[in-house]
Amino acid sequence: MQKTEIASYLDAIELKPKSVYVVHEKLERSLPLHSHSKSQLTYVDGGIAYIFIGEKTYFIPARHYIWIPRGLPHYVKVRTSATITRNLYFYTEDDHTNTFYSKFGIYPVNNLLFEMIGFTNKWSGYIEKKDEGYNFMAAIKNILPQMSIKSFPIALPTTTNTKLRPIVLYMAQNFGQQITLDNIATRFGMGERTLSRLFQSTMNISFLQYLKLLRIVRAIEMILQDDYTTTEIAYLTGYNSLAAFSKAFFQVTNIRPSDFNKQNRQ
């Protein structure tokens, strides 16, 4: 996307603050880090996406939406050009009525909300109080606090640290191998204690916690692609048994991989 297109898109969001601005994108977006004065609901349809906020990367699974409060710097990346993002930028004059609107979160979409978000496909651009569809958009915003109680927990830290970044990239490319603190420290020429402290001080997470998060994020991607069985995914992500994989998956997501798979198929 050209700089002029980016500026035009961001200006359009801000132009009518009391409206709902609706954009259904069918191509990859390359918006840089940005923020705006509207609250944002983004539903990712037909693909895998990540949202970058501060020093963390949040994974957005299927049948989930992102709520981004006004003023929060962020950017979203999708994996394929076939992915559609349904973006609803809401007025904020009533955000004070519920603490939900001031907190970032990734929430599951039940059947009712799924149908309502899908129905917004008939509109694009500004929806103002005088327009058909405004009451429907307002209804979506009003029911979110009641429907969205528990946020999806996965946040994978990122880093620009020159010592740690090559290690993190290597782990991302080799997560299915038998990675240990010892063999990573040896490969990158440092002691185990030094490497352990580097993870903790730089990303506020232990080496093992980071490895577990990385593997579970990749496992979720594989589940959504629907190309492998749960047992195959367990071994492909570096676990030596289905039981060990299932335990780690539950610890991170609070749901069993088999149940998550069922939700995805539904």
Side-chain angles (χ1 to χ4, degrees), residues 11-191:
D11 287 345
I13 295 171
E14 304 285 3
L15 187 59
K16 297 183 179 182
K18 293 187 177 181
S19 71
V20 181
Y21 187 59
V22 182
V23 182
H24 301 288
E25 285 298 335
K26 296 184 179 180
L27 298 173
E28 281 189 65
R29 276 243 167 243
S30 300
L31 286 177
L33 185 70
H34 68 283
S35 63
H36 35 72
S37 61
K38 286 189 173 181
S39 300
Q40 176 180 346
L41 182 156
T42 291
Y43 178 74
V44 181
D45 194 357
I48 295 166
Y50 295 88
I51 181 167
F52 297 79
I53 297 176
E55 292 298 316
K56 290 187 176 180
T57 303
Y58 293 85
F59 177 75
I60 309 163
R63 287 296 289 258
H64 284 68
Y65 76 90
I66 324 162
W67 180 260
I68 305 170
R70 60 181 175 181
L72 181 66
H74 65 280
Y75 65 100
V76 176
K77 293 292 184 184
V78 298
R79 283 295 182 90
T80 69
S81 59
T83 299
I84 301 170
T85 59
R86 306 197 182 280
N87 306 286
L88 309 179
Y89 299 92
F90 284 100
Y91 49 84
T92 59
E93 57 200 37
D94 62 345
D95 279 10
H96 66 280
T97 61
N98 196 298
T99 57
F100 168 87
Y101 299 121
S102 64
K103 298 177 182 178
F104 166 79
I106 299 171
Y107 301 97
V109 171
N110 63 16
N111 289 338
L112 174 60
L113 189 55
F114 177 77
E115 294 294 336
M116 293 180 77
I117 292 173
F119 193 70
T120 67
N121 191 49
K122 66 182 292 187
W123 296 292
S124 65
Y126 303 104
I127 310 296
E128 300 180 81
K129 284 187 177 181
K130 60 182 177 63
D131 296 326
E132 174 197 1
Y134 182 86
N135 289 337
F136 185 83
M137 295 294 180
I140 291 178
K141 183 178 181 183
N142 291 340
I143 65 172
L144 293 180
Q146 288 72 46
M147 287 190 171
S148 309
I149 307 300
K150 190 172 183 179
S151 181
F152 192 74
I154 291 186
L156 193 64
T158 54
T159 182
T160 56
N161 182 283
T162 54
K163 289 184 178 179
L164 191 55
R165 184 162 176 76
I167 297 172
V168 168
L169 290 174
Y170 175 83
M171 292 172 67
Q173 294 167 358
N174 298 277
F175 61 88
Q177 305 302 316
Q178 292 304 309
I179 293 176
T180 66
L181 182 64
D182 174 57
N183 64 33
I184 292 295
T186 300
R187 172 176 286 274
F188 287 90
M190 62 178 72

Side-chain angles (χ1 to χ4, degrees), residues 48 219-233 236 261 264-265:
I48 295 166
I220 291 173
E221 290 182 350
M222 292 181 192
I223 291 172
L224 297 180
Q225 290 166 359
D226 205 24
D227 292 331
Y228 304 99
T229 67
T230 305
T231 300
E232 288 172 332
I233 291 171
L236 286 169
N261 195 14
N264 174 51
R265 291 177 182 276

